[in-house]
Amino acid sequence: MIATDDAIELEAERLLKALLHVDCDPRHRTWNLDTCRSIAPLTLEINRLKREKDAVILAHSYVEPEIIYGVADFRGDSYFLSMKAKEARAKVIVFAGVVFMAETAKILSPDATVLVPDRGSGCSLADSLTGAQLRQLKALYPDAAVVCYINSTADVKAESDVCVTSGNVYHIVEHLPQRRILFVPDRLMGQNLRDELKRRGVDKEIITSDGTCMVHDQFGPADIAAARAQFPGLKVVSHPECTPEVAAVSDFVGSTGAMMKFVRATAAPYYLMLTECGLVGRLQVEDPEKNFIGGCRLCPYMKLNSLEKIRDALRAPTPEQIVTLDEDIRRRAARCIERMFQLAPTD
Ligand code: 13P
Ligand code: SF4
């Protein structure tokens, strides 16, 4: 069905209202009525296909703003989106994020058809460790509780006792009965965890594997010192995938959801967001009066998502776009994620 000119104009106006303040755009677009007119036929078609196919779209805050504000039903961090995936009653879930997130949705909603717009949307953390490698590590530390960050494959989750996200890692590990923790696959988050537990006076031995996030491991304390010298009163807000040196000199460290909450709740003349640029785009939309200085970085995997790929997946998914999992792995991975839901703080 071809959208009428009137429908396109109305849709372009709706998009412009949401996207007007996005300045941190990965494709350096200026968000005006013409830009919105050019994407309106696509967002109209996707929103119609969602109704026809009984589909929901979950979007991580790092994907492009026209996905987040044009077609997503839910937007947020990994924890929020995994809860939405679990609660979803739709026949189809499209996950605009990366493959491990879509796998997590399939683990939690096995009866839904879960679609990933681009099968190449990996993650340097999830891709750093296989289930077989984790089995070898476990053999070296048989008494350790195995804790996996959600940025991991379904195989790794199936081998783990409990899953965590950036928003609940400190709380969950602090309350595990075991002293020895095998934490995979993020070495830097593991070091931040070690430091935070020490600050809390909690005695744990944290053993890690060697993955890092190729986006967050790029920030250094020198970037922060230079920014603070140039922008007095600056608040530095970082993600726990950053190095411990960055975490140590940040004003706040937390999940992308918690980073947004901190900015909303904290008055400051400027903010430096040490994370993926999509989060800055979201803040520019939702907190347009605040000033964000440059410094964020792009995740090439998150940026593989596009409206065209989402439309194509909804129209007729290719086999590559459909997430399938071995049922035994799915069931064991589900146990590890359900344990996270039981142990996560409630607020
Ligand atoms: P959040 O769960 O904090 O959104 O983190 C996901 C992620 O991939 C960060 O790089
Ligand atoms: Fe993975 Fe880093 Fe991209 Fe997040 S930002 S999806 S951790 S590569």
Side-chain angles (χ1 to χ4, degrees):
M1 207 196 340
I2 309 278
T4 62
D5 287 350
D6 283 354
I8 291 174
E9 202 56 26
L10 268 179
E11 179 70 349
E13 283 165 16
R14 178 185 81 85
L15 291 168
L16 186 60
K17 246 188 226 155
L19 299 168
L20 183 64
H21 297 288
V22 177
D23 188 29
C24 186
D25 185 81
R27 288 193 252 158
H28 309 293
R29 289 162 297 187
T30 304
W31 285 101
N32 54 30
L33 207 47
D34 277 344
T35 323
C36 292
R37 273 189 199 112
S38 70
I39 60 168
L42 265 172
T43 56
L44 281 171
E45 183 175 358
I46 291 169
N47 287 323
R48 177 177 56 77
L49 284 165
K50 281 195 317 195
R51 290 189 293 276
E52 277 174 27
K53 310 256 171 171
D54 185 17
V56 287
I57 299 182
L58 309 185
H60 189 270
S61 297
Y62 291 166
V63 302
E64 294 195 337
E66 65 270 33
I67 299 176
I68 295 183
Y69 296 104
V71 298
D73 297 289
F74 298 100
R75 52 190 88 106
D77 65 13
S78 308
Y79 187 74
F80 174 78
L81 294 174
S82 55
M83 290 213 301
K84 290 298 161 197
K86 179 178 150 77
E87 291 162 10
R89 294 292 165 264
K91 283 202 185 104
V92 178
I93 299 173
V94 182
F95 211 120
V98 291
V99 171
F100 81 78
M101 294 179 178
E103 276 187 358
T104 302
K106 184 69 183 173
I107 292 166
L108 295 168
S109 267
D111 296 333
T113 299
V114 177
L115 304 175
V116 57
D118 192 312
R119 178 53 71 170
S121 54
C123 164
S124 65
L125 279 173
D127 298 341
S128 71
L129 187 75
T130 63
Q133 288 167 329
L134 179 53
R135 275 196 295 281
Q136 287 175 357
L137 270 176
K138 280 167 62 172
L140 298 176
Y141 305 101
D143 59 330
V146 182
V147 179
C148 67
Y149 184 31
I150 198 163
N151 293 39
S152 54
T153 62
D155 292 19
V156 164
K157 291 185 176 80
E159 292 293 334
S160 302
D161 298 313
V162 60
C163 178
V164 295
T165 67
S166 51
N168 55 39
V169 52
Y170 301 146
H171 176 92
I172 290 182
V173 175
E174 176 178 352
H175 292 95
L176 288 177
Q178 294 89 338
R179 186 182 165 277
R180 184 176 259 188
I181 308 291
L182 177 52
F183 179 74
V184 294
D186 190 341
R187 174 170 55 80
L188 298 178
M189 188 178 286
Q191 180 61 48
N192 285 324
L193 172 62
R194 227 175 257 139
D195 294 348
E196 178 61 23
L197 293 181
K198 204 186 226 171
R199 256 194 301 277
R200 294 183 186 192
V202 178
D203 176 35
K204 300 266 184 205
E205 181 190 1
I206 311 288
I207 299 149
T208 63
S209 63
D210 198 23
T212 64
C213 163
M214 59 186 286
V215 177
H216 291 89
D217 72 2
Q218 298 296 308
F219 301 117
D223 305 328
I224 299 179
R228 285 203 195 277
Q230 204 185 340
F231 297 96
L234 177 76
K235 291 283 179 207
V236 178
V237 188
S238 64
H239 193 274
E241 290 169 11
C242 292
T243 64
E245 292 75 20
V246 164
V249 291
S250 295
D251 295 294
F252 179 80
V253 183
S255 67
T256 55
M259 291 168 86
M260 287 188 75
K261 269 195 199 148
F262 175 83
V263 170
R264 265 185 216 129
T266 311
Y270 305 101
Y271 303 84
L272 172 63
M273 307 301 293
L274 294 181
T275 191
E276 215 276 347
C277 296
L279 197 74
V280 178
R282 276 207 66 189
L283 284 161
Q284 287 173 331
V285 168
E286 294 176 31
D287 256 317
E289 76 289 355
K290 304 224 165 175
N291 297 315
F292 301 95
I293 65 164
C296 62
R297 286 175 188 258
L298 295 177
C299 172
Y301 298 118
M302 288 282 183
K303 268 35 190 192
L304 286 174
N305 289 278
S306 67
L307 288 175
E308 287 83 356
K309 290 176 197 173
I310 292 172
R311 188 252 342 255
D312 293 349
L314 276 170
R315 269 188 189 164
T318 62
E320 278 207 324
Q321 288 174 317
I322 302 173
V323 177
T324 55
L325 292 171
D326 171 88
E327 181 53 17
D328 177 56
I329 288 176
R330 190 204 66 76
R331 258 190 312 100
R332 286 161 52 219
R335 259 205 312 265
C336 143
I337 303 173
E338 291 295 349
R339 183 120 194 265
M340 167 177 77
F341 289 135
Q342 287 157 14
L343 299 179
T346 41
D347 61 330

